[in-house]
Amino acid sequence: MADSTGGTEHSTGKTERPDGKKPEEPARLAGHWAIPVTGDSLFTWDYDSDSDRLLRLYDKGKRLQWDAATALDWSRPVDPGDPLGMPDELIWIADSELWDRLPESERAVVRRHTAAWMYSQFLHGEQGALICAARVVQTVPGIDAKFFASTQVMDEARHVEAYDRYLREKIGVRYDITASLQGLLDSIVRDSRWDITYLGMQVLIEGLALASFGIQRDLMKDPLAKAFNAYVLKDEARHVAFGQIALRDHYRDLTDAERREREEFALEACWVLHARYNGEELWRNLDYGAEECIELTKRSASLRVFRYRLFSRIVPALKSIHLFGPRMRDGLEKLGLLRFAAMDINAIMEADSRAADEIELAMRRQQIEAAIEIGRSGRTGVQDDRPAG
Ligand SMILES: [Fe+2]
Ligand SMILES: [Fe+2]
């Protein structure tokens, strides 16, 4: 059984796309992945912000910076056989005779590699977000959006740093980017229009992030994993809110041709996330019968929970940004996702924002308690390495 994977065994893509097209293989370079970019870098001479709502999110972004190195207790050891404290219900193959037959030592391998596959995708997705946010600084016309994107660049860099550290120090196995996520990132980054970057990143990929990190925060038992994802989620809620406000205004007056192109782009992404984001590489890397494990995964309650959380964010968000014409509704119906349109996106975003505020309060309480503790022990908070006496 391999302990790490080069990740070259990508999805077989057995599920047909709605348009019958084959997915393109993204280009690879040794150690890098190069995507050619075109388009204009826009200066603006209008330094007046035209949106208080966007500026408030920028202000929040400045105030709520945190340091992954100091905000989290990295010294806490994790269980190497279960680095996230993952309940069995979340293991994709857990409800099966195969799982019943596996000795505990092999179940530990599955838990560790499931954690590795998931956190590797989070890591690579976060790098995609970093690149997209940096791009938006250049391509978006408004000064308020440039300001906000610059705080998002720092947020995403912190997320990349922290997921990489978690993988290195706590899990010890890293997977390559999965083909479905790579294909999505490729189509987002290749397009030079800022609204496509927003649609792809802030609505679709960040929707994936909110669903995934929410599961980590709510259902994993390891305290470091829970706290870590709660911090990241707080940033992501802000990014998603920004994307939706910006696109809601911009998409109100699209021509039919412009709306069609964006709806098709979003539908294709929904199809990829629905049909192909399912951890096939994990089972091809482990020795338990890949085809059986893939089938079990597709039918698993865990994947249903994930999809519920994912599409209950993405579908109402598409509706709220006016990408919800007959074409979109028909496409969602075919994917079995139209029922999510009835969900209240404002209530979901308010719940995200409340959860973010609770985390912020907890952060402040923690900082105050740390300051009191330093005061009580008479320490300055500065490490003094001089020998005593
Ligand atoms: Fe992020
Ligand atoms: Fe983000």
Side-chain angles (χ1 to χ4, degrees), residues 125-126 129 152 155-156 159-160 163 206 209 213 232 235-236 239:
E126 291 292 355
Q152 190 178 341
D155 293 341
E156 307 298 6
H159 302 169
V160 173
Y163 280 109
E206 301 262 17
F213 304 160
V232 176
D235 295 339
E236 304 301 4
H239 304 163

Side-chain angles (χ1 to χ4, degrees), residues 20 35 53 61-62 78 121 139 182 193 198 204-205 231 244 267 275 290 293 326 340 356:
I35 302 176
R53 286 176 306 169
K62 283 189 293 184
V78 301
Q121 303 320 313
T139 56
Q182 188 168 23
R193 293 165 294 183
Y198 266 10
L204 298 161
I205 302 268
Y231 273 88
Q244 284 192 23
L267 261 181
C293 290
F340 292 106

